[in-house]
Amino acid sequence: MLDALVLQQLHRSRFDADPMLFAAPGRVNLIGEHTDYAEGFVMPAAIDFATLAAISPRTDGRIALWAENYGEARLLEALPTERSGDWSDYPLGVLRMLADDGHAIPGLSLSLWGDVPLGSGLSSSASVEVATAVAVVALLGLPYSGPELARLCQRAENQFVGASCGIMDQFISANGRANHALLLDCRDLSYRLAPIPAHVALVIANTMVKHSIAGGEYGSRRAEVELACSILARHRPEIRFLRDATLEDLERWGDEIPEVARRRARHVISENLRTVAAAEALEQNDLEQVGRLMQAAHRSYSQDFEASCAEADRMVELAEALPGCLGARLTGGGFGGCTVNLVEQEQAAAFKTALGRQYRERTGIEPEIYLCRASDGAHRLTL
Ligand code: GLA
């Protein structure tokens, strides 16, 4: 179990210094998949899995990193300009971007420890980046706002780590709110918070099929989305991203788009509509409508976007048939990872047991199922 007090003690004994402590959560996306880089809408919530960061200054000018999860240290004389392909890329990428913003990076010791399941589509990487970022800007006394922190961390991932992700994960990790989902407009980063009612549990079911956004499928989907966009833009130049396109545009000029890219575009354009509608339904406490939209979103993600997998489709299908399930869909970048389920609180424990048993019987895989709470975004911890 993550424990800030334990991390504080580990940091003290390793670096002989009293650290400041921070936490940055992972996330689950309720709806709005592969829409963020098309400048569309997403509606994630921060969850109660997180990365903790302990930070203290050093007088020798070096950068010392400790990853409690891996039991590994790094000691650097200077910031690297290239990635090394391991866990240290995430914190170092953030430091690199701060340096690129013109901030001198002084000597510092940073300890990291997280419990966001890795490779499960719950944004463990974003939580490491955001935990690093809040810790370092506090150490340096820099006035980064939550949205600015998110942009900084996205740049670290795009430019240093080399993964072409959008803004969703970093944004919600930096700006989430307990008991709320957040509808984000990825064009201008304006957002509204929508309360998740107390009678609804957030159940996350891990298919145990590993997911990675560094893998080729994420990038190839993104390229197909951009191809469809560029073809529509020939007719309507104001279409800069698929966010600007309508289903009518696709109807009218879709013949010119290769069939696969056309289906990818149909997913993104319809997903934007569903996401905004789901936020309105949540605000009106219409959970049945939220559930219907999640169901439609999963079909679209699986069939048009082809970003699901047999195990995730099975997990969703089993969930939808269980008592108390309001909505279920694959969450995150796709090709494995977790499903998100909105479940009546009273039935959540029974749902968890039944879903776990049925998934194991049908797939032979032992899933992990987490009863989560929508949580606050990155913050300082005071013990
Ligand atoms: C990953 C990326 C996000 C987003 C989702 C898909 O989580 O990091 O930016 O594109 O996939 O919605």
Side-chain angles (χ1 to χ4, degrees), residues 23 30 60 159 211 261 353 374 380:
L30 299 187
D60 63 2
Q159 295 174 24
H211 137 104
T353 310
R380 184 163 179 189

Side-chain angles (χ1 to χ4, degrees), residues 310-353:
E311 294 84 352
D313 285 345
R314 179 52 50 84
M315 190 74 97
V316 167
E317 178 194 312
L318 293 171
E320 282 173 340
L322 285 170
C325 180
L326 297 159
R329 54 175 291 280
L330 174 61
T331 188
F335 315 102
C338 293
T339 66
V340 56
N341 305 267
L342 295 183
V343 184
E344 290 292 352
Q345 192 74 53
E346 285 182 352
Q347 325 237 34
F351 174 90
K352 174 179 170 172
T353 310

Side-chain angles (χ1 to χ4, degrees), residues 27 29 32-37 42 121 123 157 164-170 211 213 218 301 332-334:
R27 66 100 187 91
N29 190 18
E33 228 61 89
H34 282 254
T35 47
D36 58 354
Y37 55 76
V42 294
S123 297
E157 182 128 0
S164 60
C165 67
I167 187 73
M168 167 168 68
D169 307 347
Q170 292 79 7
H211 137 104
I213 73 156
Y218 185 91
Y301 204 30

Side-chain angles (χ1 to χ4, degrees), residues 17-290:
D18 241 341
M20 289 191 286
L21 294 159
F22 299 84
R27 66 100 187 91
V28 69
N29 190 18
L30 299 187
I31 191 164
E33 228 61 89
H34 282 254
T35 47
D36 58 354
Y37 55 76
E39 294 205 347
F41 296 90
V42 294
M43 190 166 66
I47 54 176
D48 45 353
F49 288 120
T51 299
L52 302 182
I55 194 162
S56 56
R58 296 174 70 95
T59 50
D60 63 2
R62 292 164 155 176
I63 291 159
L65 304 177
W66 170 254
E68 178 62 19
N69 293 71
Y70 301 101
E72 282 184 23
R74 298 283 182 276
L75 186 60
L76 295 109
E77 299 296 330
L79 269 186
T81 48
E82 299 283 317
R83 62 172 167 266
S84 56
D86 64 22
W87 61 268
S88 66
D89 290 344
Y90 298 94
L92 290 173
V94 170
L95 292 172
R96 181 80 256 162
M97 294 306 127
L98 282 167
D100 288 356
D101 276 358
H103 305 296
I105 305 298
L108 58 87
S109 301
L110 177 71
S111 303
L112 296 165
W113 185 19
D115 66 357
V116 186
L118 300 180
S120 302
L122 300 179
S123 297
S124 53
S125 334
S127 82
V128 171
E129 291 154 0
V130 174
T132 303
V134 276
V136 177
V137 302
L139 185 75
L140 302 187
L142 299 174
Y144 277 72
S145 66
E148 286 166 348
L149 280 180
R151 278 277 184 239
L152 178 86
C153 292
Q154 184 199 14
R155 277 200 286 129
E157 182 128 0
N158 293 166
Q159 295 174 24
F160 194 82
V161 176
S164 60
C165 67
I167 187 73
M168 167 168 68
D169 307 347
Q170 292 79 7
F171 195 92
I172 187 68
S173 180
N175 301 289
R177 177 84 58 86
N179 306 318
H180 288 75
L182 185 155
L183 175 74
L184 175 66
D185 181 338
C186 300
R187 167 150 287 167
D188 61 7
L189 301 190
S190 59
Y191 65 93
R192 332 201 278 271
L193 292 162
I196 299 177
H199 67 89
V200 177
L202 207 51
V203 184
I204 298 176
N206 193 338
T207 63
M208 309 307 278
V209 177
K210 282 289 173 202
H211 137 104
S212 157
I213 73 156
E217 298 277 27
Y218 185 91
S220 65
R221 289 302 179 282
R222 191 170 171 158
E224 287 156 357
V225 165
E226 286 164 1
L227 171 68
C229 182
S230 67
I231 294 171
L232 292 177
R234 286 182 205 151
H235 298 282
R236 280 215 301 123
E238 59 275 30
I239 300 179
R240 290 188 299 120
F241 291 87
L242 274 191
R243 149 70 177 274
D244 305 306
T246 62
L247 290 172
E248 292 71 43
D249 294 329
L250 203 57
E251 187 70 29
R252 197 154 162 209
W253 297 302
D255 290 351
E256 298 170 29
I257 305 174
E259 197 266 334
V260 169
R262 187 166 69 230
R263 283 192 288 119
R264 307 303 189 236
R266 187 166 61 190
H267 166 75
V268 172
I269 297 170
S270 62
E271 185 82 344
N272 277 325
L273 298 171
R274 281 187 293 271
T275 304
V276 173
E280 280 162 12
L282 192 56
E283 284 161 346
Q284 288 157 14
N285 211 2
D286 185 352
L287 272 299
E288 283 184 11
Q289 174 66 356
V290 176

